[in-house]
Amino acid sequence: MFGAGVLLLFGFAANALRAAEATPALEIRADKVAGQFSPMLYGLMTEEINYSYDGGLYAELIINRTFKDNNQSPVWWHLVQDGGAAGSMSLDTNQPLNAALTTSLKLEVSQASGNQRVGVANEGYWGIPVKPNTRYRASFYARAGASFSGPLTVAITSTNNSTVFASAQVRQITGEWKKYEVTLTTGKVTPTKDANFAIWTSKPGTVWFSMVSLFPPTWNNRLNGNRVDIMQLLADMKPAFLRFPGGNYLEGGTFDTRFNWKITVGDISQRPGHMDDAWRYWSSDGMGLLEFLEWCEELRMQPVLAVYAAYSMRSGAATNKLDECVQDAVDEIEYVTGDTNTKWGAQRAKDGHRKPFNLEYVEIGNEDNLGSGGRTYDQRFTAFHDAIKARYPKLKLISTATSRFQALTRVPDVIDDHYYRAPQALAQTGFQYDNYDRSKPKIFVGEYASQTPAPNRQMTPCLGDALGDAAFLTSLERDSDVVIMSSYAPLFVNVNPGGMQWQTDLIGYDAMTSFGSPSYYVQKIFNLNHVDAILTDNGVNIPKYEYTPPVGRGGRGGATPPQPTQLPSLDFNATRDTKSGTIYLKVVNTSDTDQAVQVKISGVTSIASAGEMVAISGKGPLDTNTINDPTHIIPVTSKVSGLGTSFTRTFSKYSVTVLLIKGR
Ligand code: AHR
């Protein structure tokens, strides 16, 4: 049933395995520590792409809540009128709420009385999720015309308006802008996302709306907070850090559409939002600088703060604004770390967070080896470096000009490498760090993903991608004395039609539910099963297959080498918990054949026969999880026996295994 492209995925391995004459052996020296494992190796990278925050993690349910998504019409809103009532709605820029929210929605009701009603309804991000016995916080700003004073009904209704799932009344509306808040509580409803949020009246007159908001319960019940189910998926990964806010989203197409952190803080009614022209949709900036930091705090992640480095993707370097951009970055660091005696630390306290955040890493820009960025990066990096180090000497600075491009006058502490490649090519990429000069800056693999080539590439990674990722990660783990951080990208995708701008993405969702891809589960089991000491290991008789990368670029992040190459179909690494003596052996069988492997462990007094294993496997490379089949491929934990200083185990085809071996 698989197309030719799929057979090519890891299919070369079978021939190689048949050709292998002796059983492959993994030799592990438990007493020979090759390096210290980086506790920061596994983290997250995030930006506004694929409806990651709006329509994703940020729990706001109203799309186009400030009526700025489109300046011609109130997109995603429609008029509700029934029972013979009549009215109209339109965008209005007269008498706006404030200088940030310059457009409001004007509802004119020409005919309504008794049971008739006229109102406005919002479709949500591909639906409003209705769940039983749930409290939703609705709020909006309104201003009434001379002949109107309410009341207004606020409700969550079915899309055909026949069912009201929850409703509340606002009795009176005044002629001045004012915020109104109600709680909408559902009863024993059947969960559905075929729902709208609506505000209507049965009285004639005119009323204007601004900043219309609806929140379900959020993680930690934080106001303006995050969606619970997606936060749970992230919490389960125990990520060490969050790289934000991008990615291309940080840079924007032009200086004006960069992530300008100063307009993303303060009350949401004071945030103008901005066009995310990197990914072509409006960003509410509800997920602003403080919300990113609170997200870090809630999951105990270190913030890895990427600052705008005076370069945007279409307009190029803004070196004439370099001083302003450097000052913005220094101010931003003060907002994050400053105490309340500082200007920006005081602003953070005013915004609701008195305690400064810990910050260790600041990244200067994004992918500055690409486009024309490389030509000015040295100048720009030097300016940021000197200003930031002068004020914050302990901060570690990350350069985005990749480890293959190091012509910088100021030596960065860390270099950010990005790889989007076919699974085999990504697996191969990992080996380069075995020979990386340890005297050079540390490495942050700030973006990576295995991407099965078209036409088999899917919205979220399939098992074949997960195998490529796992093979790559065994290399990063082996070299994590120098590769200190890694993060998959992109992290999120709203799986609805039109929700995706970039394929593939780690976690998928719609309005109602979310799921982890096989690659998500690989990261999860790798991160939950790593320890402090990297062990020396050696593979003997490891079967190989020939792989020829496609000619040309492997996506943004670098060209793939065109030469045919021999790649192992078994990838592995071993770490040891110095305290308990437990050895964690990770084995990735990327081939289409079950593979018996001899494991030899030296440098221990004894190995317990009983151990444990966590494994992910499937029938074929295209096996995957989807919104309708979210747990098709998940890790399975089981007890194992027969372990010792020398034992043979069979690793099933297309599998990722972590063996927990108790040694003394
Ligand atoms: O992850 C998607 C994009 O890929 C990022 O925004 C950018 O940094 C890279 O090119």
Side-chain angles (χ1 to χ4, degrees):
M1 74 189 266
F2 299 143
V6 179
L7 289 174
L8 284 176
L9 190 63
F10 281 116
F12 287 112
N15 294 335
L17 290 179
R18 269 177 232 116
E21 283 172 9
T23 303
L26 309 184
E27 299 173 342
I28 299 164
R29 293 281 310 270
D31 56 346
K32 198 154 178 229
V33 176
Q36 286 302 304
F37 197 104
S38 166
M40 292 271 288
L41 185 62
Y42 291 103
L44 306 176
M45 184 271 166
T46 176
E47 65 179 314
E48 183 59 277
I49 183 175
N50 304 320
Y51 292 85
S52 286
Y53 315 137
D54 289 350
L57 182 68
Y58 178 54
E60 173 65 82
L61 297 177
I62 304 298
I63 187 168
N64 192 14
R65 67 183 181 183
T66 60
F67 311 106
K68 291 178 82 175
D69 286 27
N70 182 308
N71 61 13
Q72 300 299 311
S73 70
V75 290
W76 320 115
W77 289 88
H78 61 264
L79 194 68
V80 178
Q81 53 187 352
D82 55 21
S88 63
M89 65 171 194
S90 57
L91 294 181
D92 193 354
T93 51
N94 297 311
Q95 293 189 51
L97 177 64
N98 55 39
L101 302 189
T102 46
T103 304
S104 59
L105 184 64
K106 182 179 181 184
L107 173 66
E108 291 174 284
V109 182
S110 50
Q111 165 62 49
S113 64
N115 288 335
Q116 297 177 327
R117 58 182 182 163
V118 178
V120 291
N122 187 273
E123 299 163 19
Y125 292 93
W126 293 273
I128 299 277
V130 177
K131 298 186 180 168
N133 306 316
T134 302
R135 283 159 63 93
Y136 297 77
R137 280 180 296 103
S139 64
F140 58 91
Y141 288 80
R143 171 172 81 79
S147 61
F148 185 77
S149 62
L152 291 174
T153 302
V154 183
I156 301 173
T157 69
S158 57
T159 47
N160 63 8
N161 292 324
S162 65
T163 308
V164 174
F165 297 112
S167 72
Q169 287 259 318
V170 173
R171 292 225 180 107
Q172 206 179 3
I173 305 293
T174 68
E176 299 302 316
W177 281 114
K178 192 178 154 201
K179 186 176 183 184
Y180 299 90
E181 294 177 271
V182 296
T183 302
L184 303 176
T185 307
T186 56
K188 268 190 179 172
V189 296
T190 306
T192 179
K193 56 184 162 56
D194 291 330
N196 286 164
F197 171 78
I199 308 177
W200 69 76
T201 182
S202 299
K203 294 273 172 25
T206 304
V207 56
W208 288 262
F209 299 104
S210 188
M211 182 47 85
V212 183
S213 173
L214 178 69
F215 271 83
T218 57
W219 183 265
N220 269 356
N221 291 318
R222 173 163 59 83
L223 291 176
N224 206 36
N226 291 343
R227 197 171 132 168
V228 174
D229 58 333
I230 302 178
M231 282 292 273
Q232 189 61 58
L233 280 169
L234 300 179
D236 292 347
M237 295 172 85
K238 295 204 188 314
F241 66 87
L242 178 73
R243 171 180 174 235
F244 68 88
N248 294 159
Y249 178 62
L250 169 73
E251 304 162 273
T254 66
F255 180 78
D256 289 341
T257 54
R258 73 198 188 283
F259 182 82
N260 179 4
W261 74 269
K262 283 179 180 163
I263 62 164
T264 72
V265 296
D267 187 81
I268 56 170
S269 67
Q270 301 293 334
R271 301 184 196 179
H274 77 283
M275 187 61 194
D276 173 8
D277 59 353
W279 304 112
R280 299 175 299 282
Y281 60 95
W282 185 263
S283 171
S284 74
D285 287 336
M287 181 70 83
L289 177 58
L290 184 58
E291 287 76 20
F292 280 112
L293 295 165
E294 289 174 325
W295 171 13
C296 288
E297 188 170 54
E298 287 170 344
L299 295 189
R300 299 205 172 100
M301 303 182 284
Q302 268 203 45
V304 173
L305 178 69
V307 297
Y308 177 73
Y311 182 88
S312 295
M313 289 191 309
R314 279 201 316 280
S315 56
T319 35
N320 56 337
K321 297 196 171 79
L322 190 52
D323 291 348
E324 177 188 340
C325 295
V326 168
Q327 188 57 51
D328 270 355
V330 172
D331 291 348
E332 188 171 6
I333 296 167
E334 186 176 285
Y335 185 93
V336 177
T337 64
D339 66 34
T340 52
N341 296 325
T342 63
K343 176 179 171 195
W344 291 106
Q347 179 65 44
R348 186 197 62 244
K350 194 167 158 231
D351 295 342
H353 203 285
R354 278 191 70 76
K355 198 170 161 218
F357 294 90
N358 287 329
L359 184 68
E360 209 180 321
Y361 292 95
V362 172
E363 175 153 10
I364 312 300
N366 178 60
E367 291 189 339
D368 277 280
N369 57 312
L370 295 181
S372 59
R375 290 206 288 272
T376 51
Y377 194 57
D378 191 31
Q379 179 197 357
R380 291 183 287 118
F381 187 82
T382 301
F384 280 89
H385 174 281
D386 291 0
I388 294 172
K389 289 271 184 182
R391 176 97 188 265
Y392 303 100
K394 286 194 185 145
L395 278 181
K396 297 193 181 95
L397 297 187
I398 304 172
S399 139
T400 70
T402 96
S403 59
R404 294 173 301 282
F405 176 95
Q406 291 188 37
L408 294 180
T409 310
R410 301 284 185 269
V411 180
D413 298 291
V414 182
I415 294 169
D416 183 354
D417 281 349
H418 294 177
Y419 306 107
Y420 295 100
R421 296 183 174 183
Q424 303 91 330
L426 189 71
Q428 179 192 22
T429 298
F431 295 116
Q432 68 179 304
Y433 296 116
D434 290 348
N435 303 316
Y436 184 82
D437 180 347
R438 266 47 187 175
S439 68
K440 291 206 164 146
K442 304 281 188 204
I443 298 292
F444 171 22
V445 178
E447 296 180 28
Y448 73 88
S450 285
Q451 297 176 325
T452 292
N456 293 308
R457 193 185 299 179
Q458 302 172 30
M459 200 178 280
T460 51
C462 57
L463 180 61
D465 295 321
L467 293 169
D469 289 353
F472 176 66
L473 291 173
T474 58
S475 290
L476 298 197
E477 290 207 351
R478 188 173 54 249
D479 291 313
S480 85
D481 59 317
V482 63
V483 183
I484 57 167
M485 296 187 272
S486 70
S487 43
Y488 185 102
L491 180 60
F492 295 135
V493 63
N494 188 314
V495 299
N496 280 291
M500 186 196 76
Q501 288 87 46
W502 182 285
Q503 216 175 5
T504 58
D505 309 292
L506 197 66
I507 290 172
Y509 43 80
D510 61 11
M512 206 70 179
T513 60
S514 49
F515 68 97
S517 62
S519 289
Y520 162 87
Y521 286 109
V522 162
Q523 279 180 59
K524 182 174 159 185
I525 66 169
F526 271 35
N527 191 27
L528 299 190
N529 292 288
H530 77 67
V531 279
D532 57 332
I534 306 165
L535 297 184
T536 306
D537 52 32
N538 180 39
V540 182
N541 297 322
I542 301 296
K544 296 219 153 87
Y545 67 98
E546 186 172 287
Y547 172 64
T548 307
V551 178
R553 298 179 69 82
R556 281 192 86 185
T560 47
Q563 296 305 315
T565 181
Q566 294 287 313
L567 292 178
S569 57
L570 283 172
D571 296 270
F572 59 94
N573 83 304
T575 53
R576 188 178 191 189
D577 183 351
T578 313
K579 280 196 199 123
S580 69
T582 301
I583 295 167
Y584 292 72
L585 174 62
K586 289 169 184 154
V587 180
V588 185
N589 181 359
T590 56
S591 80
D592 58 2
T593 309
D594 293 352
Q595 181 65 61
V597 176
Q598 193 184 8
V599 179
K600 296 178 186 170
I601 305 174
S602 60
V604 281
T605 315
S606 67
I607 293 284
S609 155
E612 217 177 88
M613 95 179 197
V614 191
I616 295 171
S617 63
K619 291 201 189 81
L622 285 192
D623 258 11
T624 199
N625 298 335
T626 63
I627 196 85
N628 296 319
D629 190 4
T631 53
H632 184 70
I633 294 184
I634 53 169
V636 176
T637 302
S638 55
K639 301 275 176 222
V640 293
S641 58
L643 306 180
T645 50
S646 176
F647 63 92
T648 300
R649 273 202 79 77
T650 296
F651 294 92
S652 58
K653 63 181 181 179
Y654 306 128
S655 70
V656 180
T657 305
V658 185
L659 263 181
L660 278 66
I661 303 167
K662 290 187 190 117
R664 278 178 205 272

